[in-house]
Amino acid sequence: MSSNDTPRRPIRPCGCPDFTRTRISRRRLLGTATAGAGALVGAQMVGDAFLEVAYGGEPGGNVVVVLSLRGGADGLSMVVPRGVDHDHLADYRPTIFVPESTLLGADPRFGLHPALADLMPMWSAGSFGAVHAVGLPIPNRSHFEAMEEVEDADPGSTARVGWINRLIGLDPAAAPQDAVSLGSTLLPTAMIGPAPALGAYRVADLSLADVGTTAGARRSSLRTMWSPDQSVLGSGVRLALEATSTLAPLVNSAPDTVHVDAYPEGPLAEVLANTAALIRADVGTRVVAVDYGDWDMHEGVGLVDGGWMYDHLRHFAGALKAFFADLGASASRVTVVTISEFGRRLEENGDGGLDHGYGNAMLLLGAGVDGGAVHGQWPGLADADLEDGDLAMRQDFRSVLWEVMSHRFPAISGSRAQLFPGFTPENVGVMT
């Protein structure tokens, strides 16, 4: 994030030290990683991959943006059950429940938090939908372990390869710009692995570092130096040089094509403005990973018309609305899917907050989404339906991701076993 972003909410004492340690470590790493971006690019672009299917990378192809709501977003505040289950929710959350009368949308079983109002035109048009009761196959209430399990998406494996990396690795001709993480030079676990990927704060950083000489002269010198090197590092450096050449027009035009002012002020403004510019440039990008964190609301969730949850959802909705407008004609190629490591407990705690839970909701927006409805099986919120006091899981998160990816990239439809080994997805029905 740039220094122009709204300052992050101060870290709160939350009773979950693993996440606090992770945040501190991550931010410290980010603070030291900027100068090493070039080295990071080289290190990520090495090795062989799964080479069964080529699925894209061509201009005009589809793009999926994976938006991680890190910290364990409360799906029961975003997508709220109606009727008898709303009564159960109000009993368990007497000071922080979202009143049924305020809910948005016409789904007979669920309504949306009113802070998502900016996205209601997309909901009504059928391009914004949700899947509820999503989760890991076995509950895991540790931020670090659960997010790693979600991003590896390969339970029981010791291979350190994330699911997006496996996806990109299906293409033998994959280029670094096929998978890009923006907002950070630190790649998410989902992108870690042998296939190429790029990580940068903003598109303007996707270039050779300025060391007092011209980019052309430096590029020529690096090519001469690394051309005989047949190691994985040498291959990585050559890929990085090719990527910076391909991305040079985008980098040079960034001051004019990154429209940060078109977004509401907040953490998503710059990263989504850069994502839109990258997609419009149409350089073959297939997957973009973006983080929107700070959902670990152990205290002070707030009320329906103000507070932590309201502020987060309102920024989310305003930023996504601006993002699809900023994409222009390219919006027809773009699908956004959110994911979080777990939901929150059904019962509020003594601080007006919500501790770590299990089942959650995923939001999907844009091209190919069967929107205007909440999909998936719903277990209910009666005491007998809960999983140790939490919303139970009915949809494995991999079923949702597989449905998104196989619909947007049909060429991978025969490669499910490579993308999610040992897993047989269920039909969710959220994509058309």
Side-chain angles (χ1 to χ4, degrees):
M1 293 296 135
S2 76
S3 57
N4 294 326
D5 285 333
T6 299
R8 286 180 176 274
R9 187 181 296 273
I11 296 175
R12 298 168 181 242
C14 67
C16 49
D18 61 339
F19 185 59
T20 302
R21 285 199 304 271
T22 301
R23 283 178 51 162
I24 292 172
S25 175
R26 183 181 177 84
R27 296 177 72 175
R28 185 174 64 245
L29 281 170
L30 294 182
T32 59
T34 307
L40 177 65
V41 168
Q44 301 294 343
M45 297 187 294
V46 296
D48 296 324
F50 303 96
L51 304 180
E52 285 80 6
V53 176
Y55 67 92
E58 298 296 327
N62 293 330
V63 183
V64 174
V65 178
V66 180
L67 180 51
S68 295
L69 307 182
R70 293 182 188 270
D74 178 40
L76 289 170
S77 290
M78 296 188 294
V79 183
V80 186
R82 299 182 186 272
V84 65
D85 279 326
H86 188 277
D87 295 339
H88 293 309
L89 189 67
D91 288 341
Y92 276 103
R93 300 180 175 187
T95 71
I96 60 172
F97 74 94
V98 182
E100 189 169 2
S101 61
T102 68
L103 297 178
L104 305 178
D107 187 295
R109 300 181 303 161
F110 302 93
L112 302 179
H113 193 294
L116 295 171
D118 278 343
L119 293 174
M120 287 313 296
M122 293 186 69
W123 183 273
S124 300
S127 58
F128 171 26
V131 183
H132 224 316
V134 180
L136 292 162
I138 300 173
N140 185 333
R141 295 175 179 82
S142 162
H143 289 291
F144 183 83
E145 294 177 3
M147 185 53 84
E148 184 164 286
E149 191 171 343
V150 165
E151 296 198 330
D152 280 340
D154 187 11
S157 172
T158 58
R160 301 285 296 174
V161 182
W163 73 269
I164 295 176
N165 197 277
R166 293 196 295 272
L167 172 77
I168 297 302
L170 293 170
D171 183 356
Q177 62 270 19
D178 278 26
V180 181
S181 172
L182 289 174
S184 167
T185 58
L186 189 66
L187 291 180
T189 300
M191 283 187 172
I192 296 293
L198 289 174
Y201 282 101
R202 55 188 71 83
V203 294
D205 298 332
L206 296 170
S207 64
L208 292 177
D210 182 0
V211 291
T213 186
T214 65
R218 187 160 186 247
R219 191 186 309 279
S220 177
S221 297
L222 287 169
R223 280 177 173 150
T224 300
M225 183 170 67
W226 287 97
S227 59
D229 191 314
Q230 298 306 306
S231 69
V232 291
L233 181 59
S235 299
V237 172
R238 287 191 291 275
L239 278 172
L241 291 172
E242 292 174 12
T244 56
S245 294
T246 301
L247 295 168
L250 169 65
V251 171
N252 294 334
S253 67
D256 298 322
T257 58
V258 178
H259 308 140
V260 179
D261 291 344
Y263 292 75
E265 185 178 1
L268 282 173
E270 185 170 23
V271 68
L272 287 185
N274 277 269
T275 301
L278 173 67
I279 294 171
R280 289 197 313 271
D282 200 10
V283 292
T285 299
R286 294 292 162 263
V287 182
V288 183
V290 173
D291 278 4
Y292 180 27
D294 203 20
W295 296 85
D296 195 22
M297 302 178 186
H298 284 274
E299 62 180 11
V301 168
L303 305 176
V304 65
D305 55 356
W308 192 347
M309 178 63 74
Y310 177 88
D311 292 345
H312 257 44
L313 290 179
R314 186 179 183 190
H315 178 62
F316 171 87
L320 265 296
K321 177 184 178 182
F323 173 65
F324 280 98
D326 192 18
L327 284 170
S330 296
S332 63
R333 302 190 286 119
V334 179
T335 307
V336 176
V337 55
T338 72
I339 194 164
S340 196
E341 61 265 49
F342 45 64
R344 313 299 293 194
R345 291 192 71 80
L346 179 58
E347 185 174 21
E348 72 176 73
N349 62 29
D351 295 319
L354 296 162
D355 298 324
H356 302 178
Y358 185 24
N360 206 347
M362 295 174 70
L363 308 179
L364 300 99
L365 305 97
V369 175
D370 185 11
V374 179
H375 297 266
Q377 301 176 50
W378 173 247
L381 295 181
D383 290 349
D385 298 324
L386 302 180
E387 173 83 26
D388 191 24
D390 300 330
L391 173 64
M393 184 277 279
R394 287 293 180 271
Q395 283 74 222
D396 190 299
F397 74 101
R398 291 170 291 180
S399 291
V400 182
L401 293 180
W402 173 248
E403 195 162 304
V404 173
M405 295 299 168
S406 60
H407 276 72
R408 301 308 291 160
F409 307 122
I412 71 165
S413 57
S415 304
R416 188 263 307 153
Q418 285 76 39
L419 186 55
F420 297 121
F423 176 66
T424 301
E426 296 179 323
N427 178 53
V428 180
V430 70
M431 299 297 292
T432 60

